[in-house]
């Protein structure tokens, strides 16, 4: 009996240890990715509470609608470039805390917006959301840069995937908060203010976690110690631009195309798929976001099959779903269209939705990683601004069906850019990249495409090896 009791008790310490490790992994992912959750929350919630705001302050003009929706993207472009550059200059920890504090301040200002002087509430809200965007922009390069530099050897893909999953937390939380207010019969005024204010709470949690438990990136410290030269001069040199030109063109162009479609269409889903009640429309939005969850889980296997393959297949599968919904928009039942559109979110969240933010955090040298990620993310947010601001204009010209078909065509372009400009790298490539570019970033492109070069060399050697026996026999 005692032996049996000892046997049952022996696994307990390891079980507790596993739970502690899981809790610590979650804490690290939350610390790194809570800004991304805030990003998706704020960008999703403004779409969800638009009816409540218009019920209180009257309908928005088309231009104001586009400005408020895209204000965050405008600010994010500045934040991505600014904080990416600052992170390479000043370090990761301080800039990461600063972005969270700016997010907290701007989200609170958005929730407390009022008409001031000759400015309407919508105009004041535009200013606050622009500031919010600057903070959100800083989260993109920093979250992925910090994740990549703190990941254990061989675990970069999984660590990046866990941080990326925080996007889904924000996406799901936004419709849940609004639905809760609707079912509790909260007034329209209080609903939109509470919904925007939750973003401030998320950002405050992130700031506290980072200030209390985050250390400076060791990889950044070592990079600065070895380089001792101005990052700005290195980045602007012709040799550096030549070394990172191809991968940077790939990350910027694919991020731009993806965000044009994703944010252009995604920010107006409550207008594209309309139910008979506000609650019904919000349930449509929640269903679409829930259907994306399997895609987030699939990113855990990204390291096995490759980031490039996930992005290429994701673009093509999304394009197919967009074309299906567009072609049947006026004939198929609304619920079926919602399911098909939600189904493409699986390929979105497991494909370019993940890879366009993960790849720039991995494939650039440490000395320029945050700067290059910032440039790539800024290109994406430029695409988001183009998509969100011009969506109402394009929709009024060609209708919702035309917008969906156009989105499908752009996604095919994204697949072609991926095939041409995204490197087929692996975990081994990243280890080699870190070693080879510590003192010479000029080797970046050569290392990233080394797999293709080696494969071609291997084929040539195999052909020559097959030819040798024939030559011997001939002799």
């Amino acid at each position: 009996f005692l032996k049996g009791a000892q046997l049952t008790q022996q696994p307990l310490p390891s079980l507790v240890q596993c739970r502690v490790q899981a809790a610590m992994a979650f804490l690290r992912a939350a610390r790194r990715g809570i800004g991304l959750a805030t990003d998706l929350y704020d960008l999703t919630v403004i779409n969800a509470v638009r009816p409540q705001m218009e019920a209180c302050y009257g309908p928005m003009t088309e231009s104001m609608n586009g400005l408020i929706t895209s204000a965050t993207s405008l600010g994010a472009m500045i934040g991505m470039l600014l904080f990416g550059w600052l992170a390479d200059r000043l370090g990761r920890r301080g800039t990461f805390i600063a972005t969270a504090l700016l997010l907290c301040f701007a989200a609170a200002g958005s929730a407390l917006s009022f008409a001031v002087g000759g400015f309407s509430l919508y105009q004041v809200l535009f200013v606050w959301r622009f500031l919010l965007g600057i903070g959100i922009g800083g989260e993109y390069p920093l979250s992925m840069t910090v994740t990549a530099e703190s990941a254990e050897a061989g675990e970069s893909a999984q660590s990046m995937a866990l941080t990326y999953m925080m996007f889904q937390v924000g996406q799901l939380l936004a419709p849940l908060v609004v639905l809760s207010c609707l079912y509790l019969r909260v007034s329209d005024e209080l609903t939109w203010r509470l919904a925007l204010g939750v973003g401030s709470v998320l950002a405050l949690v992130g700031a506290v976690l980072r200030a209390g438990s985050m250390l400076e990136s060791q990889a950044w410290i070592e990079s600065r110690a070895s380089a001792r030269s101005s990052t700005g001069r290195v980045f602007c040199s012709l040799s550096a631009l030549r070394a990172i030109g191809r991968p940077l063109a790939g990350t910027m162009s694919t991020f731009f195309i993806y965000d044009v479609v994703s944010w252009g269409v995604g920010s107006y889903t409550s207008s594209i798929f309309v139910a008979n009640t506000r609650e019904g429309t919000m349930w449509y939005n929640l269903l679409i976001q829930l259907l994306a969850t399997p895609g987030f889980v699939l990113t855990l296997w990204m390291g096995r099959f490759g980031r490039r393959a996930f992005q290429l297949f994701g673009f093509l599968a999304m394009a197919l779903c967009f074309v299906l919904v567009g072609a049947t928009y006026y004939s198929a039942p609304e619920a079926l269209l919602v399911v098909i559109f939600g189904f493409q979110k699986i390929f979105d969240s497991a494909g370019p939705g993940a890879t366009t933010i993960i790849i720039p955090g991995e494939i650039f040298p440490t000395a320029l990683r945050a700067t290059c990620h910032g440039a790539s993310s800024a290109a994406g947010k430029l695409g988001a601004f183009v998509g969100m601001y011009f969506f109402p204009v394009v929709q009024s010209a060609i209708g919702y069906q035309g917008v969906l078909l156009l989105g499908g065509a752009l996604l095919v372009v994204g697949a072609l850019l991926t095939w041409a400009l995204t490197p087929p790298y692996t975990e081994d490539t990243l280890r080699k990249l870190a070693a080879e570019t510590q003192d010479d970033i000029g080797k970046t492109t050569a290392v990233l495409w080394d797999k293709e070069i080696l494969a071609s060399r291997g084929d040539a050697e195999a052909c020559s090896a097959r030819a040798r026996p024939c030559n011997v026999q001939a002799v």
Side-chain angles (χ1 to χ4, degrees):
F1 175 78
L2 290 175
K3 289 182 179 179
Q6 291 172 354
L7 288 174
T8 58
Q9 289 177 2
Q10 283 178 352
L12 288 180
S14 60
L15 179 62
V16 172
Q17 185 178 10
C18 289
R19 289 179 176 176
V20 171
Q21 290 175 348
M24 293 301 295
F26 174 78
L27 181 63
R28 287 192 296 269
R31 184 181 65 201
R32 297 186 299 244
I34 198 165
L36 302 181
T38 306
D39 174 21
L40 261 289
Y41 177 85
D42 283 308
L43 290 172
T44 305
V45 80
I46 195 65
N47 176 45
V49 299
R50 189 181 290 111
Q52 282 76 18
M53 295 179 66
E54 292 185 332
C56 296
Y57 300 98
M60 302 179 192
T61 63
E62 278 194 3
S63 60
M64 182 56 67
N65 187 9
L67 280 173
I68 288 181
T69 305
S70 57
T72 310
S73 294
L74 280 173
M77 283 187 280
I78 297 173
M80 288 163 174
L81 295 170
L82 175 62
F83 282 104
W85 180 77
L86 288 174
D88 282 337
R89 287 270 187 161
L90 306 177
R92 317 309 196 200
R93 184 178 183 272
T95 48
F96 213 12
I97 295 171
T99 59
L101 291 174
L102 180 54
L103 277 175
C104 179
F105 174 70
S110 298
L112 299 173
S113 295
F114 290 96
V116 177
F119 297 98
S120 68
L121 177 134
Y122 293 144
Q123 292 170 326
V124 173
L125 185 61
F126 167 78
V127 174
W128 281 115
R129 290 191 64 78
F130 176 77
L131 292 175
L132 180 72
I134 296 177
I136 285 174
E139 290 289 328
Y140 274 72
L142 278 157
S143 60
M144 289 302 166
T145 295
V146 169
T147 301
E149 293 175 357
S150 60
E152 297 291 335
E155 296 181 359
S156 178
Q158 285 193 347
S159 297
M160 297 291 257
L162 286 172
T163 300
Y164 165 70
M165 284 181 185
M166 294 300 291
F167 271 129
Q168 183 67 341
V169 174
Q171 276 192 142
L172 292 177
L173 187 59
L176 285 173
V177 169
V178 178
L179 274 173
S180 298
C181 291
L182 290 175
Y183 280 110
L184 292 172
R185 304 302 177 190
V186 177
S187 67
D188 289 336
E189 178 84 21
L190 189 56
T191 294
W192 75 261
R193 292 188 184 278
L194 282 174
L196 296 185
V198 169
S200 180
V201 177
L202 289 175
L204 181 61
V205 172
V208 171
L209 286 175
R210 292 166 190 175
S213 60
M214 181 179 174
L215 301 176
E216 184 56 83
S217 165
Q218 190 61 34
W220 178 82
I221 294 173
E222 293 173 359
S223 173
R224 295 294 291 179
S226 63
R228 293 296 181 189
S229 60
S230 170
T231 302
R233 289 201 304 270
V234 171
F235 183 73
C236 293
S237 68
L238 184 61
S239 60
L241 292 175
R242 189 181 296 118
I244 64 173
R246 184 180 177 186
L248 187 60
T251 55
M252 290 179 70
S253 60
T254 54
F255 216 149
F256 176 84
I257 291 292
Y258 168 73
D259 272 15
V260 167
V261 179
S262 177
W263 290 112
V265 176
S267 297
Y268 294 91
T269 51
S270 60
S271 301
I272 298 174
F273 307 108
V274 182
N276 295 326
T277 63
R278 288 184 187 178
E279 290 86 349
T281 301
M282 287 309 306
W283 277 112
Y284 277 166
N285 289 341
L286 182 58
L287 176 61
I288 290 171
Q289 303 307 336
L290 280 172
L291 286 171
T293 303
F296 282 88
V297 177
L298 286 173
T299 58
L300 293 172
W301 284 269
M302 193 176 293
R304 180 175 181 181
F305 298 101
R307 288 71 151 170
R308 184 175 186 251
F310 267 65
Q311 182 163 301
L312 186 61
F313 179 76
F315 267 127
L316 293 174
M318 285 177 67
L320 177 61
C321 291
F322 264 74
V323 170
L324 283 175
V325 174
T328 59
Y329 185 74
Y330 293 113
S331 57
E334 188 83 11
L336 178 61
L337 294 176
V338 170
V339 171
I340 297 175
F341 189 82
F343 191 67
Q344 68 86 26
K345 294 290 288 184
I346 297 176
F347 304 112
D348 180 338
S349 56
T355 54
T356 52
I357 189 173
I358 288 175
I359 290 174
E362 293 183 318
I363 65 173
F364 296 107
T366 301
L368 300 174
R369 181 174 287 127
T371 301
C372 291
H373 198 298
S376 304
S377 302
K381 283 306 178 187
L382 176 61
F385 170 75
V386 169
M388 289 188 290
Y389 184 76
F390 288 104
F391 179 92
V393 179
V394 176
Q395 184 275 324
S396 63
I398 63 176
Y400 289 124
Q401 183 179 48
V403 167
L404 290 164
L405 294 174
L406 177 61
L410 289 173
L411 289 167
V412 173
V413 173
L416 293 174
L417 290 170
T418 299
W419 178 78
L421 299 173
T422 301
Y425 67 97
T426 63
E427 298 285 349
D428 289 336
T429 309
L430 296 179
R431 282 191 286 269
K432 184 177 181 182
L433 181 71
E436 295 286 339
T437 61
Q438 185 72 20
D439 299 311
D440 182 10
I441 65 172
K443 300 178 181 178
T444 302
T445 298
V447 171
L448 289 173
W449 270 271
D450 188 48
K451 185 179 179 181
E452 288 185 342
I453 296 171
L454 289 176
S456 62
R457 288 177 181 170
D459 291 341
E461 290 173 358
C463 291
S464 61
R466 286 195 297 268
R468 285 191 195 106
C470 299
N471 294 335
V472 172
Q473 290 174 1
V475 172

